[in-house]
Amino acid sequence: MIHHIADPVVHRPHERDADDDRPRLECGVCGVWGAAADEASSIVALGLHALQHRGQEACGIASVGDDRFHTERHMGLVGEAFGGADLSGRMPGPAAVGHTRYSTSGGSFLRNIQPMFADLDTGGIAIAHNGNLTNFLYLRNRLVGEGAIFQSTSDSEVILHLIARSRKAKIVDRFIDALGQIEGGYALVAQTTKKMIGARDPLGIRPLVLGKAGDAWVLASETCALDMIGADFVRDIEHGEVVVIDEDGLTSLKPFPARAARPCLFEYVYFARPDSVVDGRSVYEVRKAMGRALAREHAVEADIVVPVPDSGVPAALGYAHESGIPFEMGIIRSHYLGRTFIQPSQGARQKGVRMKHSPNKAALAGKRVVLIDDSIVRGTTSVKLVRAVRAAGAAEVHLRSASPPILYPDFYGIDMPEREQLIAAQKSLEEMRQYLEVDTLGFLSVDGLYRALGQDGRNDAAPQFTDHYFTGDYPTRLLDREIAEGGRDASGRQLSLLVSA
Protein backbone atom coordinates (compact mmCIF):
# COMPACT_ATOMS: atom_id res chain seq x y z
CA MET A 1 0.00 0.00 0.00
CA ILE A 2 1.34 3.43 -0.89
CA HIS A 3 0.64 6.00 1.77
CA HIS A 4 1.93 9.33 0.54
CA ILE A 5 3.23 10.73 -2.73
CA ALA A 6 4.53 14.28 -3.03
CA ASP A 7 4.98 15.47 -6.62
CA PRO A 8 5.32 19.25 -6.85
CA VAL A 9 3.53 20.74 -9.85
CA VAL A 10 6.21 23.22 -10.88
CA HIS A 11 9.71 22.12 -11.83
CA ARG A 12 12.73 23.54 -13.57
CA PRO A 13 13.18 21.96 -17.00
CA HIS A 14 16.62 20.65 -17.83
CA GLU A 15 18.62 22.67 -20.31
CA ARG A 16 22.28 22.09 -20.86
CA ASP A 17 24.48 25.09 -21.46
CA ALA A 18 25.81 24.80 -25.00
CA ASP A 19 29.28 25.58 -23.67
CA ASP A 20 29.15 23.05 -20.82
CA ASP A 21 32.02 20.74 -21.75
CA ARG A 22 31.83 18.32 -18.84
CA PRO A 23 30.71 14.71 -19.17
CA ARG A 24 27.92 13.83 -16.75
CA LEU A 25 27.07 10.64 -14.96
CA GLU A 26 23.33 10.56 -14.57
CA CYS A 27 22.80 9.41 -11.01
CA GLY A 28 23.74 8.09 -7.59
CA VAL A 29 21.85 5.63 -5.39
CA CYS A 30 21.63 5.02 -1.66
CA GLY A 31 19.56 2.56 0.38
CA VAL A 32 19.24 1.88 4.12
CA TRP A 33 17.71 -1.16 5.83
CA GLY A 34 17.17 -1.61 9.57
CA ALA A 35 17.67 1.95 10.82
CA ALA A 36 16.45 2.97 14.27
CA ALA A 37 12.87 4.28 14.55
CA ASP A 38 12.08 6.59 11.62
CA GLU A 39 15.64 7.59 10.74
CA ALA A 40 16.06 5.79 7.40
CA SER A 41 14.88 8.67 5.19
CA SER A 42 17.16 11.14 6.97
CA ILE A 43 20.13 8.79 6.63
CA VAL A 44 19.43 8.31 2.93
CA ALA A 45 19.13 12.09 2.46
CA LEU A 46 22.61 12.51 3.97
CA GLY A 47 23.94 9.80 1.70
CA LEU A 48 22.41 11.47 -1.33
CA HIS A 49 23.93 14.78 -0.27
CA ALA A 50 27.37 13.13 -0.40
CA LEU A 51 26.48 11.80 -3.88
CA GLN A 52 25.21 15.16 -5.15
CA HIS A 53 28.13 15.38 -7.60
CA ARG A 54 26.63 12.38 -9.43
CA GLY A 55 23.43 14.26 -10.27
CA GLN A 56 22.14 17.75 -9.51
CA GLU A 57 18.97 17.83 -11.57
CA ALA A 58 16.47 15.89 -9.44
CA CYS A 59 16.20 13.60 -6.44
CA GLY A 60 13.77 11.27 -4.72
CA ILE A 61 13.35 9.03 -1.67
CA ALA A 62 10.98 6.14 -0.93
CA SER A 63 10.74 4.98 2.69
CA VAL A 64 8.93 2.00 4.21
CA GLY A 65 7.15 2.25 7.55
CA ASP A 66 4.27 0.16 8.94
CA ASP A 67 4.22 -1.83 5.68
CA ARG A 68 3.51 1.36 3.72
CA PHE A 69 5.58 3.24 1.18
CA HIS A 70 6.12 6.98 1.52
CA THR A 71 7.64 8.60 -1.57
CA GLU A 72 8.74 12.08 -2.57
CA ARG A 73 10.29 13.21 -5.85
CA HIS A 74 11.58 16.69 -6.55
CA MET A 75 13.46 18.68 -9.16
CA GLY A 76 16.58 20.35 -7.77
CA LEU A 77 19.19 19.62 -5.11
CA VAL A 78 18.95 17.18 -2.23
CA GLY A 79 19.33 19.89 0.41
CA GLU A 80 16.45 21.87 -1.05
CA ALA A 81 14.14 18.88 -1.23
CA PHE A 82 15.04 16.86 1.88
CA GLY A 83 16.80 19.30 4.20
CA GLY A 84 13.88 19.96 6.54
CA ALA A 85 13.74 18.77 10.15
CA ASP A 86 10.33 17.23 9.46
CA LEU A 87 11.68 14.65 7.00
CA SER A 88 11.38 11.69 9.37
CA GLY A 89 7.77 12.66 10.02
CA ARG A 90 6.96 12.97 6.33
CA MET A 91 8.79 9.80 5.44
CA PRO A 92 8.84 7.46 8.46
CA GLY A 93 10.21 3.96 8.69
CA PRO A 94 13.40 1.95 9.27
CA ALA A 95 14.10 1.41 5.54
CA ALA A 96 14.46 3.76 2.59
CA VAL A 97 16.00 4.04 -0.86
CA GLY A 98 17.01 7.26 -2.61
CA HIS A 99 18.29 8.59 -5.91
CA THR A 100 19.87 11.74 -7.31
CA ARG A 101 20.09 12.20 -11.05
CA TYR A 102 20.97 13.84 -14.27
CA SER A 103 19.00 12.65 -17.28
CA THR A 104 20.62 10.55 -19.99
CA SER A 105 17.89 8.06 -20.81
CA GLY A 106 14.58 9.90 -20.86
CA GLY A 107 14.15 13.61 -20.30
CA SER A 108 14.13 15.82 -17.24
CA PHE A 109 10.47 15.31 -16.40
CA LEU A 110 9.05 14.67 -12.97
CA ARG A 111 7.71 11.33 -14.16
CA ASN A 112 11.29 10.18 -14.84
CA ILE A 113 12.57 10.91 -11.33
CA GLN A 114 13.46 7.92 -9.19
CA PRO A 115 12.96 5.87 -7.11
CA MET A 116 10.27 4.43 -9.34
CA PHE A 117 7.43 2.66 -7.55
CA ALA A 118 5.04 -0.09 -8.62
CA ASP A 119 2.33 -2.11 -6.91
CA LEU A 120 2.75 -5.78 -7.81
CA ASP A 121 0.71 -8.79 -6.82
CA THR A 122 3.50 -9.55 -4.32
CA GLY A 123 3.34 -6.01 -2.87
CA GLY A 124 4.97 -2.66 -3.56
CA ILE A 125 8.53 -2.20 -4.83
CA ALA A 126 10.65 0.94 -5.30
CA ILE A 127 13.76 0.90 -7.49
CA ALA A 128 16.70 3.29 -7.81
CA HIS A 129 18.99 2.74 -10.79
CA ASN A 130 22.43 4.08 -11.70
CA GLY A 131 23.57 3.40 -15.25
CA ASN A 132 22.07 2.82 -18.67
CA LEU A 133 20.56 -0.17 -20.41
CA THR A 134 21.89 -0.73 -23.92
CA ASN A 135 18.82 -2.80 -24.90
CA PHE A 136 16.29 -0.41 -23.32
CA LEU A 137 14.50 0.57 -26.54
CA TYR A 138 14.32 -3.03 -27.71
CA LEU A 139 12.78 -4.14 -24.41
CA ARG A 140 10.46 -1.16 -24.21
CA ASN A 141 9.09 -1.72 -27.70
CA ARG A 142 8.58 -5.39 -26.95
CA LEU A 143 6.77 -4.64 -23.71
CA VAL A 144 4.57 -1.97 -25.30
CA GLY A 145 3.71 -4.45 -28.03
CA GLU A 146 2.63 -6.89 -25.33
CA GLY A 147 0.32 -4.30 -23.78
CA ALA A 148 2.52 -2.67 -21.15
CA ILE A 149 1.65 0.93 -20.29
CA PHE A 150 4.62 3.19 -19.55
CA GLN A 151 4.37 6.31 -17.38
CA SER A 152 7.92 7.55 -18.05
CA THR A 153 10.61 7.59 -20.72
CA SER A 154 13.27 6.24 -18.34
CA ASP A 155 14.94 2.88 -18.86
CA SER A 156 14.46 2.18 -15.16
CA GLU A 157 10.74 1.63 -15.72
CA VAL A 158 11.55 -1.27 -18.06
CA ILE A 159 13.02 -3.12 -15.08
CA LEU A 160 9.79 -2.70 -13.12
CA HIS A 161 7.75 -4.07 -16.02
CA LEU A 162 10.05 -7.07 -16.38
CA ILE A 163 9.70 -7.81 -12.66
CA ALA A 164 5.92 -7.44 -12.85
CA ARG A 165 5.66 -9.81 -15.82
CA SER A 166 7.94 -12.51 -14.42
CA ARG A 167 6.18 -15.79 -13.65
CA LYS A 168 8.48 -16.55 -10.72
CA ALA A 169 6.76 -16.80 -7.34
CA LYS A 170 9.22 -14.90 -5.12
CA ILE A 171 10.15 -11.23 -5.56
CA VAL A 172 13.90 -11.97 -5.47
CA ASP A 173 13.51 -14.55 -8.23
CA ARG A 174 11.45 -12.06 -10.24
CA PHE A 175 14.18 -9.46 -9.76
CA ILE A 176 16.84 -11.89 -10.98
CA ASP A 177 14.60 -12.89 -13.90
CA ALA A 178 14.48 -9.21 -14.92
CA LEU A 179 18.24 -8.81 -14.58
CA GLY A 180 18.72 -11.73 -16.93
CA GLN A 181 16.99 -9.77 -19.71
CA ILE A 182 18.71 -6.39 -19.40
CA GLU A 183 22.08 -5.40 -20.83
CA GLY A 184 24.44 -2.52 -20.13
CA GLY A 185 25.96 -0.96 -17.04
CA TYR A 186 23.93 -0.67 -13.86
CA ALA A 187 23.84 -0.57 -10.09
CA LEU A 188 20.37 -1.18 -8.65
CA VAL A 189 18.87 -0.79 -5.19
CA ALA A 190 15.31 -2.06 -4.75
CA GLN A 191 13.09 -1.82 -1.68
CA THR A 192 10.01 -3.85 -0.72
CA THR A 193 8.23 -3.82 2.62
CA LYS A 194 10.17 -6.93 3.64
CA LYS A 195 13.64 -6.60 2.13
CA MET A 196 16.23 -4.49 0.32
CA ILE A 197 17.89 -5.88 -2.81
CA GLY A 198 21.08 -4.62 -4.42
CA ALA A 199 22.65 -5.64 -7.73
CA ARG A 200 25.62 -4.73 -9.89
CA ASP A 201 25.95 -5.49 -13.59
CA PRO A 202 27.96 -8.57 -14.64
CA LEU A 203 31.02 -6.50 -15.60
CA GLY A 204 30.87 -4.15 -12.60
CA ILE A 205 30.78 -1.12 -14.91
CA ARG A 206 28.85 0.99 -12.40
CA PRO A 207 29.96 0.96 -8.74
CA LEU A 208 28.00 -0.14 -5.65
CA VAL A 209 29.30 -0.53 -2.10
CA LEU A 210 27.99 -2.13 1.08
CA GLY A 211 28.27 -0.55 4.52
CA LYS A 212 27.02 -0.95 8.07
CA ALA A 213 25.86 1.81 10.44
CA GLY A 214 25.18 0.16 13.77
CA ASP A 215 22.54 -2.45 13.01
CA ALA A 216 21.56 -0.82 9.72
CA TRP A 217 22.79 -2.00 6.33
CA VAL A 218 23.65 0.59 3.68
CA LEU A 219 24.04 0.33 -0.09
CA ALA A 220 25.47 3.31 -1.98
CA SER A 221 27.18 4.31 -5.22
CA GLU A 222 30.36 5.48 -3.45
CA THR A 223 32.14 5.15 -0.13
CA CYS A 224 31.90 8.93 0.41
CA ALA A 225 28.18 8.36 1.13
CA LEU A 226 29.10 5.84 3.85
CA ASP A 227 31.51 8.37 5.35
CA MET A 228 28.84 11.06 5.36
CA ILE A 229 26.37 8.97 7.36
CA GLY A 230 28.97 7.44 9.67
CA ALA A 231 28.73 3.93 8.24
CA ASP A 232 31.63 1.49 8.12
CA PHE A 233 32.67 0.18 4.74
CA VAL A 234 32.06 -3.57 4.53
CA ARG A 235 32.94 -4.36 0.90
CA ASP A 236 32.18 -3.66 -2.74
CA ILE A 237 29.21 -5.44 -4.22
CA GLU A 238 30.87 -7.77 -6.71
CA HIS A 239 30.20 -7.69 -10.44
CA GLY A 240 27.17 -9.82 -11.24
CA GLU A 241 26.25 -10.14 -7.56
CA VAL A 242 22.77 -9.77 -6.07
CA VAL A 243 22.51 -9.11 -2.31
CA VAL A 244 19.29 -9.54 -0.36
CA ILE A 245 18.95 -7.85 3.05
CA ASP A 246 16.04 -8.67 5.36
CA GLU A 247 15.32 -9.50 9.00
CA ASP A 248 17.52 -12.59 8.67
CA GLY A 249 20.56 -10.56 7.59
CA LEU A 250 22.40 -10.47 4.27
CA THR A 251 22.34 -13.16 1.58
CA SER A 252 24.67 -13.05 -1.43
CA LEU A 253 23.59 -14.59 -4.74
CA LYS A 254 25.58 -15.14 -7.95
CA PRO A 255 22.82 -16.04 -10.41
CA PHE A 256 24.73 -15.51 -13.65
CA PRO A 257 27.80 -17.11 -15.27
CA ALA A 258 31.08 -15.69 -13.99
CA ARG A 259 32.78 -13.04 -16.13
CA ALA A 260 35.89 -10.94 -15.59
CA ALA A 261 35.17 -7.54 -14.03
CA ARG A 262 35.61 -4.39 -16.13
CA PRO A 263 34.82 -1.35 -13.95
CA CYS A 264 34.47 2.05 -15.61
CA LEU A 265 37.70 4.05 -15.92
CA PHE A 266 35.83 7.35 -15.89
CA GLU A 267 34.96 6.83 -12.22
CA TYR A 268 38.68 7.38 -11.56
CA VAL A 269 39.19 10.04 -14.22
CA TYR A 270 36.32 12.30 -13.24
CA PHE A 271 33.07 11.04 -11.72
CA ALA A 272 33.84 9.64 -8.27
CA ARG A 273 34.58 12.04 -5.44
CA PRO A 274 38.32 12.12 -4.71
CA ASP A 275 37.77 10.93 -1.13
CA SER A 276 35.95 7.80 -2.35
CA VAL A 277 37.49 4.35 -2.69
CA VAL A 278 36.32 2.59 -5.86
CA ASP A 279 36.95 -1.14 -6.19
CA GLY A 280 39.69 -0.98 -3.57
CA ARG A 281 41.53 2.02 -5.04
CA SER A 282 41.66 5.51 -3.55
CA VAL A 283 40.38 7.85 -6.26
CA TYR A 284 42.60 10.64 -4.94
CA GLU A 285 45.75 8.51 -5.10
CA VAL A 286 44.89 7.18 -8.57
CA ARG A 287 44.44 10.73 -9.87
CA LYS A 288 47.78 11.78 -8.42
CA ALA A 289 49.38 8.73 -10.06
CA MET A 290 47.78 9.78 -13.35
CA GLY A 291 49.46 13.17 -12.97
CA ARG A 292 52.83 11.58 -12.27
CA ALA A 293 52.48 9.36 -15.35
CA LEU A 294 51.49 12.41 -17.41
CA ALA A 295 54.63 14.25 -16.29
CA ARG A 296 56.79 11.30 -17.36
CA GLU A 297 55.10 11.03 -20.75
CA HIS A 298 54.80 14.75 -21.52
CA ALA A 299 57.54 16.70 -19.77
CA VAL A 300 58.03 20.37 -20.60
CA GLU A 301 60.11 23.26 -19.28
CA ALA A 302 57.79 25.51 -17.30
CA ASP A 303 57.53 27.69 -14.21
CA ILE A 304 54.27 26.52 -12.60
CA VAL A 305 51.74 23.69 -12.73
CA VAL A 306 48.13 24.90 -12.61
CA PRO A 307 45.05 22.67 -12.28
CA VAL A 308 41.66 23.27 -13.83
CA PRO A 309 39.70 23.14 -10.56
CA ASP A 310 38.37 21.17 -8.94
CA SER A 311 38.69 17.86 -10.78
CA GLY A 312 42.17 18.58 -12.14
CA VAL A 313 43.74 19.26 -8.73
CA PRO A 314 44.97 15.75 -7.74
CA ALA A 315 46.51 15.10 -11.17
CA ALA A 316 48.21 18.51 -11.09
CA LEU A 317 49.66 17.69 -7.67
CA GLY A 318 51.05 14.45 -9.10
CA TYR A 319 52.46 16.24 -12.14
CA ALA A 320 54.13 18.88 -9.97
CA HIS A 321 55.62 16.26 -7.64
CA GLU A 322 57.03 14.18 -10.49
CA SER A 323 58.33 17.14 -12.54
CA GLY A 324 59.59 19.28 -9.68
CA ILE A 325 57.69 22.27 -11.08
CA PRO A 326 55.87 24.29 -8.37
CA PHE A 327 52.11 23.79 -8.00
CA GLU A 328 50.04 26.98 -7.99
CA MET A 329 46.32 27.73 -7.87
CA GLY A 330 46.38 29.81 -11.03
CA ILE A 331 42.62 29.43 -11.57
CA ILE A 332 40.03 30.01 -8.85
CA ARG A 333 36.67 28.26 -9.19
CA SER A 334 33.42 29.73 -7.95
CA HIS A 335 31.46 27.21 -5.87
CA TYR A 336 28.25 29.20 -6.00
CA LEU A 337 27.20 28.36 -9.55
CA GLY A 338 25.53 24.99 -10.00
CA ARG A 339 26.51 22.78 -12.91
CA THR A 340 23.11 23.47 -14.46
CA PHE A 341 23.51 27.28 -14.38
CA ILE A 342 22.04 28.78 -17.56
CA GLN A 343 23.36 32.08 -18.84
CA PRO A 344 20.52 34.19 -20.28
CA SER A 345 22.20 35.32 -23.49
CA GLN A 346 24.96 34.42 -25.92
CA GLY A 347 27.07 37.29 -24.63
CA ALA A 348 26.72 36.03 -21.07
CA ARG A 349 27.55 32.49 -22.17
CA GLN A 350 30.76 33.74 -23.74
CA LYS A 351 31.72 35.19 -20.36
CA GLY A 352 30.48 32.14 -18.48
CA VAL A 353 33.93 30.62 -18.04
CA ARG A 354 34.97 33.70 -16.05
CA MET A 355 31.96 33.21 -13.78
CA LYS A 356 32.97 29.60 -13.05
CA HIS A 357 36.79 29.89 -13.35
CA SER A 358 38.69 33.10 -12.67
CA PRO A 359 42.39 33.42 -13.55
CA ASN A 360 44.71 34.35 -10.67
CA LYS A 361 46.86 37.06 -12.26
CA ALA A 362 49.33 37.18 -9.38
CA ALA A 363 50.24 33.52 -9.98
CA LEU A 364 50.09 33.54 -13.79
CA ALA A 365 51.71 36.80 -14.95
CA GLY A 366 54.91 36.20 -16.89
CA LYS A 367 54.91 32.44 -16.18
CA ARG A 368 55.26 29.40 -18.40
CA VAL A 369 52.18 27.44 -17.34
CA VAL A 370 51.43 23.72 -17.46
CA LEU A 371 47.63 23.61 -17.37
CA ILE A 372 46.26 20.25 -16.13
CA ASP A 373 42.71 19.10 -16.81
CA ASP A 374 41.13 15.71 -16.10
CA SER A 375 39.89 15.32 -19.69
CA ILE A 376 39.12 17.22 -22.88
CA VAL A 377 35.74 16.47 -24.47
CA ARG A 378 34.70 19.05 -27.06
CA GLY A 379 37.38 21.61 -26.22
CA THR A 380 34.95 24.52 -25.89
CA THR A 381 35.72 25.14 -22.23
CA SER A 382 39.43 24.44 -22.66
CA VAL A 383 39.95 27.12 -25.28
CA LYS A 384 38.21 29.72 -23.11
CA LEU A 385 40.36 28.79 -20.12
CA VAL A 386 43.51 29.03 -22.21
CA ARG A 387 42.52 32.47 -23.45
CA ALA A 388 41.76 33.60 -19.91
CA VAL A 389 45.15 32.32 -18.66
CA ARG A 390 46.94 34.14 -21.49
CA ALA A 391 44.93 37.30 -20.82
CA ALA A 392 46.15 37.13 -17.20
CA GLY A 393 49.72 37.43 -18.49
CA ALA A 394 50.94 33.86 -18.93
CA ALA A 395 53.98 33.73 -21.19
CA GLU A 396 53.30 30.17 -22.40
CA VAL A 397 50.47 27.66 -21.93
CA HIS A 398 51.13 23.92 -22.14
CA LEU A 399 47.88 21.98 -21.86
CA ARG A 400 47.94 18.44 -20.45
CA SER A 401 45.01 15.99 -20.15
CA ALA A 402 45.22 13.45 -17.33
CA SER A 403 43.22 11.02 -19.45
CA PRO A 404 43.70 9.73 -22.99
CA PRO A 405 41.91 11.37 -25.93
CA ILE A 406 38.14 10.72 -25.82
CA LEU A 407 37.35 9.21 -29.21
CA TYR A 408 34.01 7.42 -28.81
CA PRO A 409 30.62 8.08 -27.14
CA ASP A 410 29.32 6.22 -24.10
CA PHE A 411 26.13 4.16 -23.76
CA TYR A 412 26.42 3.03 -20.12
CA GLY A 413 25.16 6.09 -18.28
CA ILE A 414 27.61 8.87 -19.18
CA ASP A 415 26.12 11.90 -20.91
CA MET A 416 28.82 12.33 -23.53
CA PRO A 417 28.57 13.89 -27.02
CA GLU A 418 28.37 11.86 -30.20
CA ARG A 419 31.63 11.17 -32.02
CA GLU A 420 31.35 14.11 -34.41
CA GLN A 421 31.39 16.47 -31.40
CA LEU A 422 34.44 14.94 -29.73
CA ILE A 423 37.45 17.09 -30.61
CA ALA A 424 39.97 14.23 -30.47
CA ALA A 425 37.85 12.16 -32.88
CA GLN A 426 37.74 14.95 -35.44
CA LYS A 427 41.19 16.56 -35.28
CA SER A 428 44.83 15.48 -35.24
CA LEU A 429 46.99 16.36 -32.24
CA GLU A 430 48.46 19.35 -34.09
CA GLU A 431 45.01 20.51 -35.20
CA MET A 432 43.80 20.28 -31.61
CA ARG A 433 46.84 22.24 -30.40
CA GLN A 434 46.08 25.01 -32.85
CA TYR A 435 42.36 25.03 -32.06
CA LEU A 436 43.05 25.17 -28.31
CA GLU A 437 45.64 27.94 -28.85
CA VAL A 438 48.31 26.29 -26.69
CA ASP A 439 52.06 26.05 -27.10
CA THR A 440 52.07 22.28 -26.58
CA LEU A 441 49.39 19.66 -25.96
CA GLY A 442 49.68 16.22 -24.40
CA PHE A 443 47.35 13.42 -23.36
CA LEU A 444 48.02 10.57 -20.95
CA SER A 445 48.34 7.31 -22.86
CA VAL A 446 45.94 4.42 -22.33
CA ASP A 447 48.78 2.28 -20.94
CA GLY A 448 49.82 5.16 -18.70
CA LEU A 449 46.31 5.33 -17.26
CA TYR A 450 46.31 1.58 -16.67
CA ARG A 451 49.68 1.81 -14.93
CA ALA A 452 48.32 4.56 -12.68
CA LEU A 453 45.71 1.99 -11.61
CA GLY A 454 48.37 -0.52 -10.67
CA GLN A 455 48.39 -2.54 -13.89
CA ASP A 456 51.37 -3.29 -16.13
CA GLY A 457 49.40 -1.78 -18.98
CA ARG A 458 46.27 -2.59 -20.94
CA ASN A 459 45.72 -6.25 -21.72
CA ASP A 460 44.29 -5.90 -25.21
CA ALA A 461 43.15 -9.55 -25.26
CA ALA A 462 41.20 -9.16 -21.99
CA PRO A 463 40.97 -5.48 -20.93
CA GLN A 464 40.87 -4.97 -17.18
CA PHE A 465 38.56 -1.94 -17.32
CA THR A 466 35.73 -0.48 -19.36
CA ASP A 467 37.56 2.01 -21.60
CA HIS A 468 35.55 2.24 -24.84
CA TYR A 469 35.52 6.07 -24.80
CA PHE A 470 39.31 5.87 -25.37
CA THR A 471 39.60 2.66 -27.40
CA GLY A 472 36.25 1.94 -29.09
CA ASP A 473 36.23 -1.47 -27.36
CA TYR A 474 32.68 -1.63 -25.98
CA PRO A 475 32.37 -4.32 -23.28
CA THR A 476 28.82 -5.40 -24.20
CA ARG A 477 26.75 -5.50 -27.35
CA LEU A 478 24.86 -2.29 -28.10
CA LEU A 479 21.54 -3.75 -29.23
CA ASP A 480 19.62 -0.47 -29.51
CA ARG A 481 22.48 1.04 -31.51
CA GLU A 482 22.71 -1.98 -33.78
CA ILE A 483 18.98 -1.87 -34.52
CA ALA A 484 19.09 1.87 -35.28
CA GLU A 485 22.16 1.57 -37.52
CA GLY A 486 20.62 -1.41 -39.28
CA GLY A 487 17.80 0.79 -40.50
CA ARG A 488 15.11 -0.90 -38.45
CA ASP A 489 12.79 1.01 -36.15
CA ALA A 490 14.39 1.00 -32.69
CA SER A 491 12.33 3.69 -31.10
CA GLY A 492 11.05 6.12 -33.66
CA ARG A 493 13.41 8.45 -31.73
CA GLN A 494 10.30 9.81 -30.03
CA LEU A 495 9.60 7.91 -26.85
CA SER A 496 6.60 9.88 -25.74
CA LEU A 497 3.96 12.27 -26.99
CA LEU A 498 3.41 13.57 -23.47
CA VAL A 499 5.17 16.82 -22.57
CA SER A 500 5.36 17.67 -18.88
CA ALA A 501 4.38 21.25 -18.20
Side-chain angles (χ1 to χ4, degrees):
M1 176 180 180
I2 189 161
H3 177 63
H4 171 68
I5 302 179
D7 275 1
V9 175
V10 179
H11 72 277
R12 297 187 294 274
H14 170 70
E15 295 180 52
R16 184 161 182 173
D17 178 2
D19 296 321
D20 182 355
D21 195 28
R22 283 301 186 211
R24 288 174 172 171
L25 189 69
E26 91 283 15
C27 48
V29 297
C30 183
V32 172
W33 176 270
D38 295 326
E39 294 181 0
S41 58
S42 296
I43 294 172
V44 166
L46 278 175
L48 293 180
H49 183 73
L51 298 171
Q52 188 76 84
H53 60 288
R54 299 183 75 88
Q56 301 180 17
E57 184 178 277
C59 54
I61 294 176
S63 71
V64 176
D66 298 325
D67 289 332
R68 292 179 174 181
F69 278 85
H70 309 258
T71 76
E72 288 189 18
R73 301 180 299 167
H74 301 271
M75 299 301 292
L77 301 177
V78 175
E80 297 171 353
F82 299 112
D86 62 339
L87 181 59
S88 60
R90 287 168 17 219
M91 308 191 70
V97 60
H99 188 270
T100 186
R101 82 186 295 265
Y102 280 125
S103 62
T104 55
S105 177
S108 58
F109 307 122
L110 195 61
R111 58 198 169 105
N112 286 334
I113 302 175
Q114 301 180 43
M116 290 197 165
F117 176 85
D119 266 318
L120 310 179
D121 56 351
T122 55
I125 184 170
I127 288 185
H129 167 215
N130 169 213
N132 225 48
L133 307 186
T134 55
N135 64 340
F136 156 57
L137 298 176
Y138 168 80
L139 290 172
R140 189 182 192 277
N141 289 343
R142 190 193 82 190
L143 289 164
V144 169
E146 294 172 355
I149 298 173
F150 279 77
Q151 299 298 316
S152 77
T153 58
S154 168
D155 57 356
S156 308
E157 191 177 359
V158 163
I159 302 169
L160 282 177
H161 279 282
L162 293 174
I163 294 171
R165 287 170 176 260
S166 173
R167 297 186 179 276
K168 303 290 185 181
K170 297 180 179 178
I171 188 64
V172 173
D173 294 330
R174 289 185 171 199
F175 186 84
I176 291 171
D177 193 16
L179 293 184
Q181 299 177 67
I182 64 176
E183 300 172 4
Y186 57 83
L188 292 167
V189 181
Q191 186 80 65
T192 73
T193 57
K194 303 298 182 184
K195 58 185 85 251
M196 181 167 70
I197 309 170
R200 195 174 178 192
D201 67 78
L203 296 177
I205 296 172
R206 299 270 72 89
L208 189 65
V209 297
L210 176 69
K212 200 81 184 290
D215 294 328
W217 291 96
V218 183
L219 290 168
S221 292
E222 292 184 38
T223 59
C224 64
L226 304 182
D227 296 337
M228 175 69 77
I229 64 182
D232 295 322
F233 172 76
V234 175
R235 64 177 177 86
D236 290 287
I237 301 302
E238 297 180 21
H239 57 290
E241 181 182 15
V242 176
V243 293
V244 182
I245 301 167
D246 55 25
E247 60 184 10
D248 296 323
L250 183 143
T251 303
S252 172
L253 305 172
K254 299 286 186 66
F256 306 111
R259 301 173 65 181
R262 289 186 65 178
C264 176
L265 278 178
F266 242 93
E267 293 288 344
Y268 299 100
V269 170
Y270 178 68
F271 289 127
R273 242 174 57 167
D275 55 329
S276 283
V277 176
V278 176
D279 289 312
R281 300 174 180 88
S282 161
V283 174
Y284 177 74
E285 292 299 333
V286 168
R287 289 178 184 167
K288 285 207 301 181
M290 289 158 57
R292 291 194 293 270
L294 187 60
R296 292 190 293 269
E297 292 183 359
H298 295 285
V300 65
E301 291 187 7
D303 301 308
I304 57 174
V305 174
V306 172
V308 175
D310 290 322
S311 54
V313 170
L317 285 169
Y319 192 103
H321 181 268
E322 183 71 20
S323 66
I325 302 171
F327 173 95
E328 294 287 350
M329 291 300 294
I331 299 172
I332 308 301
R333 176 175 177 260
S334 170
H335 291 264
Y336 302 100
L337 292 173
R339 291 188 186 183
T340 54
F341 181 83
I342 307 299
Q343 291 91 359
S345 68
Q346 176 65 20
R349 281 199 299 271
Q350 291 173 348
K351 297 173 183 176
V353 69
R354 293 181 182 271
M355 301 174 72
K356 298 175 183 177
H357 297 100
S358 300
N360 181 2
K361 293 182 180 180
L364 297 170
K367 301 294 176 53
R368 297 171 297 174
V369 176
V370 183
L371 187 61
I372 308 289
D373 207 349
D374 58 86
S375 58
I376 300 173
V377 184
R378 289 183 298 172
T380 51
T381 297
S382 300
V383 70
K384 290 182 180 182
L385 283 170
V386 169
R387 289 172 180 171
V389 168
R390 287 197 186 279
E396 298 174 5
V397 181
H398 305 274
L399 182 59
R400 299 290 182 266
S401 168
S403 69
I406 298 173
L407 300 171
Y408 300 90
D410 180 82
F411 302 101
Y412 302 97
I414 302 173
D415 183 9
M416 193 179 285
E418 289 289 333
R419 196 155 195 254
E420 57 269 19
Q421 294 179 296
L422 298 170
I423 185 173
Q426 302 302 315
K427 298 179 184 294
S428 67
L429 186 67
E430 174 58 21
E431 288 171 339
M432 282 190 284
R433 185 196 68 77
Q434 293 179 19
Y435 173 82
L436 297 170
E437 302 175 10
V438 292
D439 294 278
T440 65
L441 174 65
F443 292 84
L444 182 63
S445 68
V446 172
D447 281 333
L449 178 52
Y450 270 76
R451 283 191 286 269
L453 284 149
Q455 307 292 317
D456 292 332
R458 186 181 193 266
N459 181 351
D460 293 339
Q464 306 93 309
F465 296 92
T466 288
D467 60 7
H468 51 275
Y469 19 74
F470 306 133
T471 65
D473 182 1
Y474 290 89
T476 72
R477 70 170 182 168
L478 304 173
L479 182 58
D480 290 341
R481 193 78 168 182
E482 291 169 8
I483 291 173
E485 290 177 351
R488 288 171 286 161
D489 180 22
S491 67
R493 289 295 101 186
Q494 181 170 309
L495 288 178
S496 178
L497 296 173
L498 176 64
V499 178
S500 294

